[in-house]
Amino acid sequence: MIDKKAFLNALSFEDKNKVSKLYEKICFSLKTGREVYTEEFYPPNVWRYLEKAKGAFGINVSSFGIFDEAERKVIAFSQEEIWHFPISLIKIQNKSEFTKLTHRDYLGSILSLGIKREKFGDLICEDSSAYVAVYEELADYIIYSLKSIGNSPCIVKIVDIYTEDLPQHKFQEENIISTSFRLDSIVSSITGLSRSKALDIIREGKVIKDYRVENEKDEIVQENSILTIRGYGKYKIVSQVGITGSGRFKILLKKFI
């Protein structure tokens, strides 16, 4: 079992108290042999690390977020393979024919109920509805508390994830050319701004890498990183697909739409 100090250092980008709780859950599962789940949904940079490093823990690590390519997931520690996670999928249906609701509208309506963002996972809009992965214990509370979004009445219900077709994240593939994988270079290539302008928006806290504001211009952007650039969109760095004749990198992105 990896020692606590090394564990905290490996996840130093995350809140220290949250990382300590993860370590305690691993230790508890090892000691008791019981299945242990996180009480929050975690971003990819956390659950990917834990799944890759599970050999060092001496325990099985798995994660689940309902949707294919889910970003935010609940993590489980166990001796055996996990078949059930304490997650429900709810559908929020907009009943107004005159108002089109956005991802931000649905997200804001859930937060307005006093629910922290970490307590629910991905939110995907489709047609006049939004689908949200939530902790089971919160599903009924949202169903009975959320009656409208702004002036638009809504209906909330639990969806059977095993019998109904589930929506998926929608992406638009894009290719960029960048001189390097440094954050300022990638941001410049995505936005079409000069390197100095890209540096300005990084310093202003408008660039979020893997769910945390990133202010270091020379931070290296890895494959599978998620970049949110305020005013420009949200992107997943897929892979390097080639090199130009001048030695610049051809990079494939997926833009969330």
Side-chain angles (χ1 to χ4, degrees):
M1 173 62 183
I2 188 173
D3 67 83
K4 187 172 183 179
K5 184 177 180 180
F7 187 81
L8 293 173
N9 288 337
L11 292 170
S12 59
F13 52 82
E14 188 56 82
D15 179 79
K16 187 175 181 179
N17 289 330
K18 288 185 179 181
V19 178
S20 292
K21 288 181 180 179
L22 287 173
Y23 187 82
E24 290 169 4
K25 288 183 180 298
I26 294 173
C27 292
F28 183 77
S29 184
L30 280 169
K31 182 178 180 180
T32 64
R34 294 171 55 184
E35 302 169 356
V36 180
Y37 303 89
T38 60
E39 290 92 6
E40 298 179 350
F41 289 78
Y42 283 84
N45 49 341
V46 176
W47 55 258
R48 280 201 188 105
Y49 165 75
L50 293 174
E51 290 181 348
K52 288 180 180 178
K54 62 184 178 182
F57 307 145
I59 198 168
N60 184 57
V61 181
S62 52
S63 62
F64 185 59
I66 294 182
F67 304 108
D68 289 344
E69 295 196 57
E71 296 176 70
R72 298 174 183 269
K73 297 183 179 183
V74 166
I75 305 167
F77 307 104
S78 62
Q79 300 294 334
E80 306 294 336
E81 188 172 357
I82 296 290
W83 295 100
H84 173 76
F85 280 74
I87 309 174
S88 296
L89 181 65
I90 61 171
K91 178 182 180 181
I92 307 172
Q93 184 177 0
N94 176 16
K95 300 301 293 182
S96 173
E97 298 179 359
F98 309 104
T99 305
K100 183 177 180 180
L101 299 175
T102 66
H103 184 281
R104 180 179 294 180
D105 295 323
Y106 290 110
L107 179 63
S109 68
I110 297 174
L111 294 174
S112 70
L113 298 177
I115 299 173
K116 293 181 179 180
R117 182 63 185 91
E118 295 82 4
K119 288 293 185 179
F120 57 98
D122 291 13
L123 186 157
I124 298 179
C125 296
E126 185 172 87
D127 300 326
S128 59
S129 300
Y131 295 78
V132 193
V134 302
Y135 234 87
E136 280 180 345
E137 63 188 28
L138 291 175
D140 286 344
Y141 173 67
I142 296 174
I143 289 171
Y144 292 115
S145 301
L146 188 59
K147 302 301 181 183
S148 64
I149 301 173
N151 295 321
S152 302
C154 65
I155 295 176
V156 187
K157 67 176 184 178
I158 293 178
V159 174
D160 187 336
I161 65 174
Y162 301 105
T163 61
E164 296 194 33
D165 292 332
L166 304 183
Q168 306 300 333
H169 284 295
K170 296 179 177 63
F171 302 99
Q172 175 182 315
E173 290 193 351
E174 296 184 4
N175 288 282
I176 61 170
I177 295 176
S178 178
T179 56
S180 74
F181 278 83
R182 280 173 40 133
L183 184 65
D184 55 352
S185 181
I186 295 292
V187 171
S188 174
S189 298
I190 290 175
T191 61
L193 298 172
S194 67
R195 186 75 72 89
S196 62
K197 292 290 186 182
L199 182 55
D200 287 341
I201 64 174
I202 292 172
R203 287 172 173 166
E204 291 167 4
K206 295 181 179 179
V207 177
I208 300 171
K209 175 179 176 287
D210 293 328
Y211 301 91
R212 298 184 72 84
V213 173
E214 181 57 68
N215 300 116
E216 299 297 328
K217 65 178 182 179
D218 54 356
E219 171 74 11
I220 299 300
V221 181
Q222 308 285 351
E223 290 185 2
N224 293 316
S225 287
I226 305 294
L227 281 186
T228 301
I229 307 173
R230 291 175 184 165
Y232 293 90
K234 183 178 181 180
Y235 302 83
K236 181 176 184 178
I237 311 301
V238 179
S239 64
Q240 177 186 328
V241 293
I243 298 178
T244 68
S246 59
R248 295 192 294 173
F249 297 102
K250 296 179 181 178
I251 302 170
L252 175 64
L253 309 175
K254 284 184 177 181
K255 181 179 182 179
F256 290 75
I257 56 175

